[in-house]
Amino acid sequence: MNLFDYARPTTVEEAIAAWAPGASYLAGGTNLVDLMKTGVMQPGKLIDLNRLAGLDRIESLANGDTRVGALVRNADLAHDAGFARAFPMVAEALLSGASGQLRNAATVGGNLMQRTRCAYFQDAHSACNRRTPGAGCDARGGDNATMAVLGWSDSCIATNPSDFGVALAALDAVVEVEGPQGSREIAFADFHLLPGQTPDRETALAQGELVVAVRLPAASAQLRHHSRYLKLRERTSYAFALVSAAAALRLEDGHIVEARLALGAVAARPWRANDAEALLIGQTPSDELFKRAADVALTGATPSGDNAHKIELARRTAARALALAAIGTPKRMPAFPASLFGEHAHV
Amino acid sequence: MSDTRPPASRFGSNSGQSFTRRDGIAKVTGTATFAADNHPDGLLYAVYVPATIARGRVSHLDVAAAKAHPGVAEVITPANRPMLDGDPESKGFMFAFRFEALQDNTVRYANQPIALVLGETLEAATEGARLLNPQYEALPARVGLNGDTPYKVEVGSFGRPGQTVYGDVAAGHAAAVQSVDLTYETPEQYHNAMETHAVVAEWQGDHVTLDMPNQAIVMSRGAYGYYFGIPPENVLIRSPYLGGGFGSKAIPNGPTVLAILAARMTGRPVKLMLRRDQMFGPVGHRGATRQRLRLGIDAGAKMTVLDHESLATTSTFDDFVESAANASQGLYAAGALRSAQYGVRVDAGTPGPMRAPGEASGSAALECAIDEMAEKAGLDPLEFRLRNYAETEPGTGLPYSSKALRECYLRGAERFGWSKRPMQPGQMRDEAGMLVGWGMGTALFHAPMFAAKARAVLRPDGTGLVETAAADMGQGAWTALAQIAADSLGLPLDQVEFRSGSSDLPDGGVAGGSGHTATAGGALHAAGSDAVRRLADIATADPASPLFGAGNAGVTARDGRFFVIDDDSRSESYADIIARAGGTEVVGTGSAARTPEDAGHHAMYSHGAVFAEVKVDPELYQMRVTRLVGAFAAGRIINPKLAESQLMGGMIWGISFALHEEARFDKRTGRIMNADFAGYHIPVNADVSGLEVITIHEDDAHVNALGIKGVGEIGVVGTVGAIGNAIRHATGHRIRRFPIRIEDLLHAALG
């Protein structure tokens, strides 16, 4: 690990003032510190946010929105009874990610800022345009069975690894940001950028900007009775998604009046499927309908390598997530959250 | 060895009891000292620099930049590396493997050490290693089973035959009325014990103390003595606890030897602990295999031929070929039997013994092929196996020393409910609509013994002390061996002090090959019996003793006393006997090994039958092992709790092999791209449920004096095939590549 400066501000203003080019904000450290150990990231300065006051709260706002401070730990958010009741899909997504120990440390803001788990990004000795603009992409033509099938470019085929983000994308979350130029809001759907020719630009944040909260609109809580997060993966816990889907419906008189669908692990951002949602409105739930919607969600998907299977698996996962949402949100958190075996597991 | 067992009267009742492991509290409270927990004064931290190419040479290292970093104490490269007395390219002793200790600039595989950096802190050494910024002249890497030209293996790993043929194979093929010709593949796997390789080395003159996890504590003295030009007795290896070994901690490797060398070079103690990613290279692995199985049966579904070929990857500079085809020896009766091994040289570190080397990967293919043959014959897989049950060892015709495999089949099947299994695949669903499949596999593992010595002392206070340099890798040697020792001394367990895990004790042999309890336990038994015999001589020759005149064979030892046989009224405690004899402790010694003559009369194996239930999503193909029942017959079980725990651990290795573990190579660079626990998947707790172990007692008068076979590795054997067969039964798809992945089933379904 390189030598670096370390600052421990106590207010957001101090934190932003402490920022300089080459500095990194540090929250839970579950991703950043690993990358520093391997030399993938070598910040000249760490600005430790953990002493910032007021960012660890889950609040109900006057307008009914829910505001989650950036320093709320993943585990605390998932286990907050009020939050989990209003946004069970978010809680399920959170609990399907990482491990208990990691969730205890990882923060809401850090989850948004985590880096891709592309093996070539994580390996300082491989060429990666995301890490070093113009260096090339060793993932192309390499071991790429898990890479993107949507929104990728010749310069980068990495995926966003977050589970939490997939649920946030589906529920119209808003990211509150403060920075040297003041505060602003960024729609979650616009927060992560597709790679294009500048994969090193991963988020819409400007230099020095800091995520201070994530807001979920009151309207999204209306989807709580029919919402699921489903995660296909190679083991039951502590594995990133092969593909995942967050699906939520609002049903009236047997008809779908509102629909949300987002896919995970298929692109450099959680992939909101607006066209698929539009197709569902006014329809009666059926497996056939959900398959058609899933087809639409995967429109334009192409393999970026040896990963054509991800397209079909994403299609099937999306359709299944919609079907599970239509059945209804489970009464209690499944034993294995987001697992196909979640509610019937022997534990 | 005679067919009569030692007098039962010399045994107490410690063996057979499910004692909780004696080191358990120390481990869970953190007071057990593992190698890297040692921090001698003046310690330097070593970090080895792993090559990031798989083939070529190092052209430049920025030594100046590394040395300029604060806290970097020394940088060792081929340019300044002190001489070793033993050449790391030599085969200077039994089981010597070639390794890289900076003898030159050549790179033979990714993650090979190319420099060693010493720092006052781990952080300084780590950053110094990064600053070396190696430059290379790289050559194209050869990896994978198609990486180079296969060659025929004449002598396989550990001297086992590379080619074995019994009977007329061509005639066996010709005689078959039905046959299958199938090819299976298994991937490279890396041991990855929870505790990575570690050493703390400290020299005093020409003596060196090595705190290190080691599966072959006394044998390794000689190895390190060889490389450093000192007699074995100048090497002290302390290895009280290992955080798992899996076969990789018995063999010296480059990074460890370099750390010891660095300690001598600097005159300071040096600690090296490998990072997780560094476990994928210089410390052994299991080679990938491609296995072709050709089976033929006659009209009665008895095998006319079992013809097993295996191609496995090995390194370019040494020989260890996963002897997968040998898994077809010793198990099923067949008119003709052929096991043929081939190797292919790739730019990888040399493979080594790993969790049932040969048997695990060979059985994975064999047990699937057996099921495919059974299915073609229209027979239940268990019925087919019973029709091909070997009453004597196939090929050799030797009688088995004991073989309760039939009981394993029947007890396991009954417990599992196998009789309700529909013949056709895809017939069972659970309440959630998941496809359900049942599969089985047979487990076989040889029951070896190595050589060990032990010392037993009866102390003046009547308590016992036993010593042997055994290795506890987590399997429970501290407990099970102490139980054997206590019995041999006629003492309760808590009256016996057991010293182990240090090379200044009598040689406890190798903790490997599933033979440690039999070997070290045998030596302890002999030593304890010797001490008891000596004390009985003293007592029965002493006119003041109530035992006087009974003769050595006329007394029995029990609970710290001798009793005259058939007359409990005449007895005396050890302490009283020793006190009257002058208060001098009584010392016994013993050894254990199997003579070639003993080995030649019987075929000696542990056996088992594993039954698996899997559930598979019918569209998304997420798989889950929901039940595993393993019935094992492994001679006499010393500690049922520990043995069942080990067998379960082996079955979990089987889940891992079947569904998870795989090193993923970038074929262009020869580098492993998932060299961490986030990417190299092993089962987590949530992947393991419904595990059940049944042990079936065998009285085996031939295998060794105590009747002990091994349980260390057999759990993985049979389990992999059982899971593969269960997935076939659930889905109708036969996947002939491990691990079985979601996309494999998708591709099979889509055609």
Side-chain angles (χ1 to χ4, degrees), chain A residues 120 123 138 233 235-236, chain B residues 622 666 668 671 682 687:
Chain A
Y120 296 89
D123 169 39
D138 276 349
R233 49 178 158 175
R235 64 180 168 192
T236 308
Chain B
Q622 185 99 52
D666 185 312
R668 302 164 303 182
R671 297 178 63 214
I682 53 175
D687 293 307

Side-chain angles (χ1 to χ4, degrees), chain A residues 112-251:
Chain A
L112 269 56
M113 297 304 295
Q114 68 179 305
R115 313 299 296 271
T116 180
R117 294 323 195 270
C118 171
Y120 296 89
F121 169 82
Q122 295 200 102
D123 169 39
H125 305 285
S126 293
C128 176
N129 288 321
R130 196 170 275 261
R131 223 175 40 237
T132 312
C137 171
D138 276 349
R140 303 224 54 197
D143 178 35
N144 52 25
T146 62
M147 301 292 174
V149 293
L150 282 163
W152 54 273
S153 73
D154 286 345
S155 60
C156 182
I157 61 174
T159 62
N160 181 297
S162 176
D163 295 299
F164 180 46
V166 185
L168 293 182
L171 295 181
D172 287 338
V174 173
V175 184
E176 294 182 14
V177 168
E178 292 203 32
Q181 311 302 319
S183 20
R184 65 184 180 120
E185 295 183 351
I186 304 171
F188 189 82
D190 300 327
F191 186 81
H192 295 99
L193 306 181
L194 293 179
Q197 295 313 302
T198 54
D200 53 305
R201 286 211 60 214
E202 296 183 357
T203 71
L205 292 182
Q207 292 225 322
E209 279 190 321
L210 177 64
V211 174
V212 294
V214 170
R215 224 169 53 232
L216 282 157
S220 292
Q222 299 306 310
L223 295 147
R224 66 183 179 277
H225 301 297
H226 290 279
S227 63
R228 278 312 291 275
Y229 183 68
L230 184 59
K231 181 175 179 181
L232 202 62
R233 49 178 158 175
E234 288 173 352
R235 64 180 168 192
T236 308
S237 175
Y238 192 50
F240 291 100
L242 188 53
V243 294
S244 69
L249 302 169
R250 195 154 60 79
L251 299 171

Side-chain angles (χ1 to χ4, degrees), chain B residues 449 452-454 468 470 480-482 484-485 488 498 508 515-528 591-592 638 704-706 708:
Chain B
M449 275 187 77
K453 294 177 180 154
T468 190
L481 293 179
I484 293 170
S488 74
F498 179 32
H516 200 36
T517 307
T519 309
L524 288 166
H525 167 73
S591 62
I638 299 301
N704 50 53
L706 294 171
I708 298 171

Side-chain angles (χ1 to χ4, degrees), chain A residues 1-2 42 119-120 123 125 138 140-143 232-236 316-317 320 336 340-341 344, chain B residues 52 127 130 432 434 615 617 619-620 622 624 660 664 666 668 671 673 677 682 686-687 689 743:
Chain A
M1 196 180 286
N2 60 307
Q42 295 170 43
Y120 296 89
D123 169 39
H125 305 285
D138 276 349
R140 303 224 54 197
D143 178 35
L232 202 62
R233 49 178 158 175
E234 288 173 352
R235 64 180 168 192
T236 308
R316 295 181 183 202
T317 301
R320 182 70 66 82
F336 298 143
L340 288 160
F341 295 95
H344 301 274
Chain B
T52 55
E127 181 63 5
R130 194 184 65 78
M434 293 288 175
K615 293 187 177 180
D617 187 279
E619 292 172 329
L620 289 163
Q622 185 99 52
R624 181 167 181 76
H660 301 292
R664 298 183 65 91
D666 185 312
R668 302 164 303 182
R671 297 178 63 214
M673 298 312 297
F677 275 165
I682 53 175
D687 293 307
S689 63
E743 56 262 43

Side-chain angles (χ1 to χ4, degrees), chain A residues 36-118:
Chain A
M36 289 174 67
K37 284 181 184 171
T38 57
V40 168
M41 291 187 70
Q42 295 170 43
K45 183 179 191 178
L46 277 189
I47 303 164
D48 186 342
L49 306 175
N50 286 288
R51 300 294 198 283
L52 299 194
L55 294 192
D56 59 351
R57 291 203 290 263
I58 305 164
E59 305 163 272
S60 289
L61 304 181
N63 67 354
D65 289 1
T66 299
R67 184 175 187 275
V68 183
L71 287 180
V72 173
R73 308 289 153 172
N74 286 192
D76 290 337
L77 182 58
H79 293 301
D80 182 275
F83 181 84
R85 208 160 34 241
F87 306 105
M89 182 170 79
V90 180
E92 186 169 22
L94 280 167
L95 292 177
S96 76
S99 65
Q101 294 90 332
L102 288 167
R103 293 193 296 269
N104 286 343
T107 65
V108 160
N111 193 302
L112 269 56
M113 297 304 295
Q114 68 179 305
R115 313 299 296 271
T116 180
R117 294 323 195 270
C118 171

